[in-house]
Amino acid sequence: MNVAHILSQKGRDVVTVSPDFSLHDVCQLMSEKGIGAVVVCARDGELVGILSERDIMRTIAASGARALEERVSSHMTSTVVTCREDTTIQSVMERMTEGRFRHVPVVREGRLAGIISIGDLIKNRLAEVESEQDELKRYIATA
Ligand code: AMP
């Protein structure tokens, strides 16, 4: 199973911000949308970073609430690990585990095409387990 399968169910919408947004703007956006990370894009749409609630928490822990006025560009992660639609779900899980992060943007021909979160992976795995159980029950019932 690959990333395209998850995107076909959850959709391809990605919440993006520009590097000059303030952390406070991002907090409001994350709270409104119920998400834990935003992808940072330049004006031409190029993916230039990712900023998650962890980055915001780390900044506030170090500098206090006044840090909320600082820009996204100063606190985002610029080296973003991405995947493609044909990347396997197993491989996305490995990337998250190795990198210790919970979000992986999906890129197609250099453009943003979706995002996979750890929640999406868990939801997908639960559905798989349920379907395996149903199959096993059917097999036992008809054996
Ligand atoms: P998260 O677990 O996604 O909240 O992110 C934990 C840390 O990893 C934060 O510093 C993020 O900026 C960073 N991060 C999140 N996703 C990625 C990614 N796909 N590639 C690189 N860094 C990431």
Side-chain angles (χ1 to χ4, degrees):
M1 206 175 287
N2 60 22
V3 163
H5 174 79
I6 293 185
L7 291 183
S8 71
Q9 292 177 343
K10 74 166 278 200
R12 293 169 176 279
D13 287 351
V14 186
V15 179
T16 63
V17 299
S18 93
D20 60 2
F21 265 45
S22 71
L23 296 186
H24 185 238
D25 292 336
V26 175
C27 285
Q28 282 182 327
L29 199 56
M30 282 181 179
S31 160
E32 199 180 292
K33 305 277 184 188
I35 55 172
V38 290
V39 175
V40 188
C41 290
R43 252 196 215 127
D44 60 2
E46 190 199 346
L47 189 161
V48 294
I50 190 162
L51 185 100
S52 88
E53 51 202 0
R54 288 250 173 104
D55 299 311
I56 297 173
M57 191 200 53
R58 195 184 303 127
T59 306
I60 293 173
S63 315
R66 66 195 150 86
L68 288 171
E69 298 312 317
E70 292 175 14
R71 303 298 106 186
V72 163
S73 51
S74 310
H75 301 285
M76 67 188 191
T77 301
S78 307
T79 310
V80 184
V81 174
T82 60
C83 66
R84 300 184 340 182
E85 284 154 291
D86 61 359
T87 307
T88 63
I89 289 172
Q90 175 72 26
S91 169
V92 178
M93 279 181 188
E94 284 166 9
R95 288 173 208 194
M96 283 189 186
T97 307
E98 277 164 27
R100 300 179 69 86
F101 45 70
R102 299 164 292 179
H103 302 86
V104 177
V106 186
V107 170
R108 188 207 295 159
E109 289 165 7
R111 313 298 293 183
L112 199 52
I115 190 162
I116 302 291
S117 74
I118 201 162
D120 299 323
L121 296 180
I122 291 170
K123 192 172 168 197
N124 181 260
R125 185 63 196 130
L126 283 177
E128 266 182 357
V129 169
E130 225 165 82
S131 128
E132 282 163 12
Q133 277 179 352
D134 287 348
E135 218 165 283
L136 207 54
K137 278 184 202 154
R138 255 198 312 276
Y139 174 76
I140 292 166
T142 56

